[in-house]
Amino acid sequence: MRDTQQPPHDPQAVVQTHGLRKTYGRHVALESLDLTVRRGQVIGLLGPNGAGKTTAVKLLLGLSRASAGGGTLLGRPLGDRRARTSVGYLPELFRYPQWLSAREVVWLHCQLCGLPRASWASWTQRALSTVGLEHRAKDRVGTFSKGMQQRLGLGLALLGDPQLVILDEPTSALDPVGRDDVRTIIRAARARGASVILNSHLLGEVERVCDEVIIIHRGRVIAAGGLRALLGAPSLRIVVSGLGDPVGLLRTFAPVMVEHDHLLLQPIEPERTPEVVQALVAAGGRVHEVEPVQRSLEDLFLELVRSGVTEATESFRLPRPPGP
Amino acid sequence: MNLRAVMAICILTLREVARRRLLWILLGLSVVSALLVGWVVTQLVDYARSGGMSEVRIGLGVSQVLVFVAFMFSFVLAMSAAFLAAPAIAGDIESGTLLAMMARPISRADLVLGRWLGLCLVTATYAIASGVLAIGVVAQVSGYSPPDPGVAIGGLMGEAIATLTLALALGTRLPAIAAGSISVVCFGLSWFGGVLASAAGLLRAEALVPSMDGLRLLMPTDLLWRGVVHALEPPLVLLAARGIDPRSFASDPFFAIAPVSLGALTWTVVWIVGVLLVGMVAFGRREL
């Protein structure tokens, strides 16, 4: 049975939901989302197509109404327009008035944000230069490529230094340089204390910038937690010969598992690899193979999505780490 | 209500209409229409004068031409208003433009009101420019000026605002093309309801009058149209009509013996405000 009981308010939470559910007729778009995003956290929202990620974001922003459950956004109930005062949002389906110039689009959003008129010029300059569009400020959005329009959307999402930035597939139309810029933007937002919800299919991007991930499949959260906890500790795979007791030697570094023709040290940081190799060679061993092993987010994602939701929910759902 | 947001949306609407050249196209068409009307009236008046017709009779004839011009214009204006207003919200929902805007601290009602105000200003500008041009050109070439040109233009403006309000409200839940089409059909039905209600009275089919009146009141546009006609009729015709049984010309949609009533004006205001509020509520419940 779904637990929709409201959790105690977390003073550090910018987003807190409990049992958030959305149905369209008989179709369940989102089963039950319990989500807490704290100040300065970057959360990755992952899932295959149609998993319910965009639905979750729309519920947070009041663009869609929950069928059950609820939550708060910046301390106000979901749907309260005042809660959106300090939220920046780049939608997955981004489109801006084509007949306006980039500068006019930013002005429009300055107005809608309620920013003082005197500050528009500086916000516009900042928003456009952050995403590399300052030289196209006077050009109509209709003349922009898809990637440039997505850059503009990113700039708008950062307008007014919001406390929460929600980016829905922010790199879908961007080249590798643009993707790198997005990572820089996300890190800069975190550095100034903002929280970021990143909704993306590009798991490598998520792995690089997110503190925690939530994996949604068929409207249900199937895994949630810190990347380190979800992916497990890194390990070192070694094939060595010429030693009487290699296990005993390697145990001085980390617990050892003997698997077929190789030994597996876990947990061990990849930075210690030269130290391990040096010890083996010094003891007279012949090192044939050394491979640092780390399960990637993509491995985890595919494993969870392909293995069936029910089992995965129980085995991978991890307790949330305590707040700061 | 966030007035700053309402004004931002209103200005965005005005800018959109100007940038997409719609306003200039509409004003250009008004100039062309006025010149065409002027040319036709000049020809008619020249023929009538060369045949020795009195100026009073020429004035009567021109007044009827002006009523027909207003009739044509009321449909053009209503259709323009419907097709301007229908995609104003529906199109932005379909394209996704609203997602980024509605994630800002503004309410759905702010957006509807801002769009409505902007469209009212555009439609009013179009109605005033076209009306003044048409009436001015006719006065210039024929010497005939209707008794209440301001009331006539105001009535046409009211018809257009009612139609755009319906199209905008329907567009919050329906695709743009459906919202625009329904609004134009309702406008036509209201006018036709007015004719049928009068005809039922003339044919002594009193039992049918309430249902025909119901059809007529579907929109306040027919009530306003009667006011437009009255404002364009020469006082002489109205005076002459006083001695005749009103039922004999009641079914004529091109003649009105009385100005628009206070009741009709009240219904117009109540209808427009009501439909606008329904549009706000409907949009408020819409999933984006």
Side-chain angles (χ1 to χ4, degrees):
Chain A
M1 194 174 179
R2 204 158 37 82
D3 177 23
T4 56
Q5 197 175 359
Q6 198 165 336
H9 176 66
D10 180 345
Q12 281 294 317
V14 289
V15 176
Q16 201 169 16
T17 70
H18 53 93
L20 205 57
R21 178 182 169 87
K22 182 66 188 176
T23 55
Y24 295 99
R26 293 168 66 182
H27 171 66
V28 180
L30 192 66
E31 176 73 39
S32 176
L33 181 68
D34 297 309
L35 171 69
T36 301
V37 182
R38 298 190 180 87
R39 271 184 64 81
Q41 262 191 327
V42 179
I43 301 279
L45 209 54
L46 312 179
N49 292 330
K53 309 182 298 289
T54 297
T55 300
V57 166
K58 286 185 175 180
L59 291 173
L60 294 181
L61 290 166
L63 298 173
S64 196
R65 287 187 309 154
S67 308
T72 57
L73 180 70
L74 297 168
R76 292 183 184 277
L78 298 183
D80 185 331
R81 73 176 174 85
R82 289 166 297 179
R84 300 193 293 267
T85 305
S86 195
V87 177
Y89 171 51
L90 169 67
E92 181 185 15
L93 179 63
F94 55 87
R95 190 178 165 86
Y96 303 96
Q98 305 288 295
W99 56 91
L100 292 181
S101 68
R103 186 171 57 187
E104 288 168 336
V105 172
V106 183
W107 285 352
L108 171 67
H109 280 260
C110 283
Q111 233 171 329
L112 298 178
C113 280
L115 295 171
R117 179 73 180 84
S119 69
W120 291 3
S122 63
W123 279 119
T124 303
Q125 201 276 331
R126 201 168 135 186
L128 294 178
S129 63
T130 304
V131 294
L133 285 176
E134 67 273 34
H135 62 294
R136 300 292 303 268
K138 292 179 184 170
D139 293 342
R140 288 201 183 179
V141 175
T143 65
F144 284 13
S145 69
K146 204 173 172 193
M148 288 167 75
Q149 293 195 38
Q150 194 163 34
R151 281 175 175 273
L152 175 63
L154 265 169
L156 293 174
L158 301 170
L159 208 58
D161 281 343
Q163 291 178 55
L164 174 66
V165 181
I166 300 177
L167 306 175
D168 199 349
E169 301 290 356
T171 55
S172 59
L174 297 183
D175 56 25
V177 177
R179 279 186 227 141
D180 187 55
D181 289 347
V182 172
R183 285 196 290 272
T184 307
I185 285 168
I186 291 173
R187 288 185 186 122
R190 175 168 50 193
R192 65 170 174 78
S195 310
V196 179
I197 296 177
L198 174 62
N199 188 347
S200 179
H201 284 301
L202 299 174
L203 303 180
E205 300 288 326
V206 174
E207 210 166 351
R208 283 166 133 169
V209 292
C210 290
D211 306 311
E212 283 193 26
V213 295
I214 293 168
I215 303 179
I216 303 177
H217 185 41
R218 293 180 188 155
R220 300 178 65 186
V221 175
I222 57 171
L227 273 174
R228 184 67 184 258
L230 284 174
L231 299 179
S235 55
L236 197 63
R237 184 176 168 275
I238 297 173
V239 179
V240 62
S241 65
L243 288 176
D245 181 19
V247 173
L249 174 63
L250 290 172
R251 271 198 189 121
T252 58
F253 294 96
V256 182
M257 283 180 281
V258 181
E259 291 184 348
H260 307 295
D261 60 338
H262 65 266
L263 303 168
L264 194 71
L265 275 76
Q266 192 183 36
I268 185 164
E269 293 302 327
E271 293 76 25
R272 296 192 69 191
T273 305
E275 197 185 326
V276 173
V277 173
Q278 194 179 16
L280 288 170
V281 171
R286 297 177 65 196
V287 180
H288 301 277
E289 285 179 35
V290 178
E291 185 190 3
V293 180
Q294 170 69 72
R295 189 160 63 151
S296 70
L297 187 56
E298 187 165 338
D299 296 333
L300 174 71
F301 181 83
L302 292 173
E303 200 177 308
L304 286 172
V305 170
R306 286 177 177 162
S307 67
V309 176
T310 312
E311 296 78 15
T313 305
E314 298 309 320
S315 54
F316 286 98
R317 194 162 181 172
L318 299 173
R320 220 162 261 293
Chain B
M1 190 65 63
N2 178 349
L3 271 182
R4 187 147 74 158
V6 171
M7 288 319 295
I9 302 295
C10 174
I11 291 166
L12 178 73
T13 307
L14 295 176
R15 194 172 270 164
E16 177 180 355
V17 173
R19 290 276 170 89
R20 297 177 106 179
R21 301 179 202 151
L22 287 169
L23 188 62
W24 312 119
I25 289 170
L26 291 176
L27 291 177
L29 285 174
S30 304
V31 172
V32 171
S33 305
L35 291 175
L36 190 67
V37 168
W39 180 77
V40 169
V41 171
T42 306
Q43 297 298 310
L44 290 173
V45 170
D46 285 351
Y47 270 104
R49 281 181 183 148
S50 64
M53 193 179 281
S54 71
E55 286 300 314
V56 174
R57 287 190 67 189
I58 290 172
L60 287 176
V62 169
S63 74
Q64 295 314 296
V65 171
L66 205 54
V67 168
F68 288 124
V69 168
F71 178 65
M72 179 272 292
F73 186 54
S74 76
F75 264 86
V76 170
L77 194 59
M79 272 193 271
S80 306
F83 289 110
L84 269 177
I89 290 175
D92 282 353
I93 295 172
E94 284 163 22
S95 70
T97 308
L98 278 188
L99 286 176
M101 285 168 66
M102 296 315 300
R104 297 295 182 196
I106 65 169
S107 70
R108 306 272 180 106
D110 294 339
L111 184 104
V112 175
L113 189 60
R115 280 294 198 198
W116 183 79
L117 279 176
L119 289 166
C120 283
L121 284 172
V122 172
T123 310
T125 307
Y126 178 36
I128 292 169
S130 298
V132 168
L133 263 175
I135 292 171
V137 166
V138 168
Q140 190 66 37
V141 298
S142 71
Y144 173 73
S145 295
D148 290 311
V151 172
I153 293 171
L156 290 170
M157 209 191 304
E159 285 186 67
I161 287 173
T163 314
L164 82 82
T165 307
L166 182 62
L168 187 75
L170 290 172
T172 61
R173 300 297 286 209
L174 296 175
I177 194 154
S181 305
I182 292 171
S183 306
V184 171
V185 168
C186 286
F187 177 86
L189 282 177
S190 171
W191 178 80
F192 193 51
V195 177
L196 289 180
S198 305
L202 182 68
L203 297 171
R204 303 198 185 285
E206 276 81 8
L208 291 178
V209 171
S211 54
M212 297 299 119
D213 265 338
L215 187 62
R216 181 190 196 190
L217 295 176
L218 185 68
M219 287 183 77
T221 44
D222 186 62
L223 299 176
L224 293 171
W225 166 245
R226 302 298 171 128
V228 172
V229 176
H230 182 268
L232 294 175
E233 293 285 5
L236 191 63
V237 172
L238 296 172
L239 242 141
R242 278 188 189 164
I244 305 169
D245 181 0
R247 282 181 302 190
S248 59
F249 43 70
S251 61
D252 183 356
F254 303 110
F255 185 79
I257 197 163
V260 66
S261 67
L262 186 63
L265 282 177
T266 309
W267 171 239
T268 302
V269 173
V270 167
W271 190 93
I272 289 174
V273 172
V275 170
L276 188 63
L277 287 175
V278 168
M280 286 175 176
V281 172
F283 187 49
R285 301 178 69 82
R286 166 97 192 223
E287 302 277 338
L288 292 178

